[in-house]
């Protein structure tokens, strides 16, 4: 005899994401307002010819003032809203593979090539070894603070080096603007601009190296050793091993990257020369 089975209850509907949408809209709105205020402030400082504060310093003061006011309002209202927007993997790929390469290509295409190659050795020294020194110094400082117990013990050496790679690739737009307005030596401008065009590559490679290491160590800590999840005790050997792994990975990646870059650069130069856009334009004007 067949026993009737009671119908299973309908699946509960997923929670509404209205709150998250409101936070995203509020964060984007505040970011847009601050961007507009920063542009207006820069124009005012430039028009009034204010000497005691630069345009970049004015924007920094504006940002610090907004952060302080936002923090006070949060405390007074008892709100827990945070200005953070989660980026989906698709958006990451769009930014990383769609927007970043054209920006780097444009920087290299519009720079003063003669000055760049005349100082290529110094620029490379600053971009490669200077960036690596900044990464190692930042990671070592955070590691030392971790030994002292001033940082979350769940973090390890790979996390510290990851953070160092994240902040060591500086964008000198404000510095270049100040140098240009102050009439500094053009050589200083060329060195800083050339270094900024190359240090992104080093920082991106090192970031991915330690990102993979951090994910691997976190997985082993949570899944291995009986699943205890206890953070490893920091030691000097871990820092030495992390730095050695970084240089070893760079020694494998950089030659191939340089070779691919040379092939792409020579290929684009050959195509541009074969097309001869300037001669075609001049011939068209002469014929007209």
């Amino acid at each position: 005899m067949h026993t009737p089975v009671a119908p299973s209850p309908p699946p509960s509907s997923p929670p509404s994401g209205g709150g998250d949408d409101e936070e995203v809209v509020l964060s984007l709105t505040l970011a847009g307002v601050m961007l507009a205020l920063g542009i207006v402030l820069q124009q005012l400082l430039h028009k009034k010819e204010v000497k005691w504060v630069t345009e970049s310093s004015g924007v920094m003061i504006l940002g610090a003032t907004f952060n302080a006011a936002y923090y006070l309002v949060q405390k007074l209202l008892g709100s827990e809203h945070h200005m953070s927007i989660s980026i989906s993997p698709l958006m990451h790929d769009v930014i990383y593979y769609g927007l970043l390469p054209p920006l780097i290509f444009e920087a290299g295409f519009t720079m003063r090539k003669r000055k760049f190659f005349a100082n290529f050795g110094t620029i490379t020294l600053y971009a490669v070894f200077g960036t690596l020194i900044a990464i190692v110094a930042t990671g070592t400082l955070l590691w030392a603070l971790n030994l002292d117990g001033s940082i979350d013990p769940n973090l390890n050496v790979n996390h510290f080096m990851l953070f160092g790679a994240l902040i060591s690739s500086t964008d000198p737009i404000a510095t270049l603007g100040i140098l240009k307005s102050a009439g500094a030596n053009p050589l200083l401008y060329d060195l800083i601009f050339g270094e900024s065009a190359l240090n992104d590559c080093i920082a991106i490679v090192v970031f991915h190296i330690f990102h993979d290491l951090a994910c691997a160590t976190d997985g082993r800590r949570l899944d291995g050793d009986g699943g205890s999840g206890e953070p490893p005790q920091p030691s000097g050997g871990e820092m030495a091993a992390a730095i050695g792994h970084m240089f070893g990975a760079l020694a494998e990646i950089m030659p191939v990257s340089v070779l691919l870059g040379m092939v792409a650069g020579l290929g684009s130069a050959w195509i541009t020369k074969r097309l001869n856009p300037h001669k075609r334009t001049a011939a068209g004007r002469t014929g007209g």
Side-chain angles (χ1 to χ4, degrees):
M1 180 177 179
H2 177 70
T3 303
V5 179
S8 59
S12 58
S13 59
S16 174
D20 295 338
D21 293 340
E22 292 178 359
E23 289 190 0
V24 170
V25 171
L26 178 58
S27 299
L28 290 176
T29 303
L30 292 176
V33 170
M34 291 302 299
L35 179 61
L37 290 177
I39 295 175
V40 172
L41 179 61
Q42 284 184 322
Q43 295 298 323
L44 287 176
L45 292 176
H46 180 73
K47 184 177 181 180
K48 298 296 183 181
E49 297 183 354
V50 179
K51 301 297 183 181
W52 58 273
V53 61
T54 62
E55 298 175 8
S56 301
S57 300
V59 174
M60 293 176 61
I61 294 173
L62 176 64
T65 303
F66 171 78
N67 287 331
Y70 189 82
Y71 177 78
L72 292 176
V73 171
Q74 293 281 81
K75 288 297 183 181
L76 292 176
L77 298 180
S79 174
E80 296 183 355
H81 171 263
H82 301 284
M83 290 188 63
S84 61
I85 303 174
S86 60
I87 299 180
S88 64
L90 177 60
M91 182 59 66
H92 169 270
D93 293 342
V94 170
I95 295 175
Y96 192 76
Y97 298 108
L99 298 180
L100 186 59
L103 291 176
I104 297 177
F105 182 82
E106 190 273 339
F109 194 80
T110 58
M111 71 169 56
R112 296 189 294 180
K113 283 81 173 176
R114 191 179 301 275
K115 297 293 184 180
F116 176 81
F117 287 106
N119 303 284
F120 184 75
T122 306
I123 291 173
T124 304
L125 184 66
Y126 287 154
V128 177
F129 293 101
T131 304
L132 293 178
I133 290 173
I135 293 173
V136 173
T138 303
T140 304
L141 177 60
L142 294 176
W143 170 74
L145 292 175
N146 187 35
L147 290 177
D148 189 52
S150 303
I151 298 181
D152 185 356
N154 291 314
L155 301 178
N156 54 45
V157 171
N158 295 319
H159 294 102
F160 303 146
M161 299 297 289
L162 180 67
F163 181 78
L166 179 66
I167 67 169
S168 295
S169 177
T170 56
D171 190 352
I173 293 178
T175 304
L176 294 176
I178 294 174
L179 292 177
K180 188 175 182 180
S181 61
N185 191 330
L187 176 61
L188 184 60
Y189 183 96
D190 294 330
L191 292 178
I192 295 177
F193 182 81
E195 187 272 341
S196 67
L198 298 180
N199 64 10
D200 292 335
C201 307
I202 302 298
I204 289 173
V205 172
V206 176
F207 180 88
H208 278 279
I209 291 173
F210 285 107
H211 178 267
D212 295 340
L213 287 176
C215 293
T217 53
D218 290 345
R220 286 196 300 266
R221 180 169 62 86
L222 295 177
D223 299 333
D225 298 331
S228 60
E230 292 294 331
Q233 295 297 323
S235 63
E238 290 181 347
M239 176 57 69
I243 296 176
H245 182 85
M246 177 187 68
F247 282 104
L250 286 175
E252 295 177 1
I253 296 174
M254 287 186 62
V256 180
S257 301
V258 172
L259 180 61
L260 292 176
M262 292 178 61
V263 171
L266 293 175
S268 62
W270 182 82
I271 293 174
T272 304
K273 184 177 180 180
R274 294 288 295 179
L275 292 177
N276 271 333
H278 298 291
K279 291 184 178 181
R280 290 176 182 271
T281 304
R285 290 177 180 177
T286 304

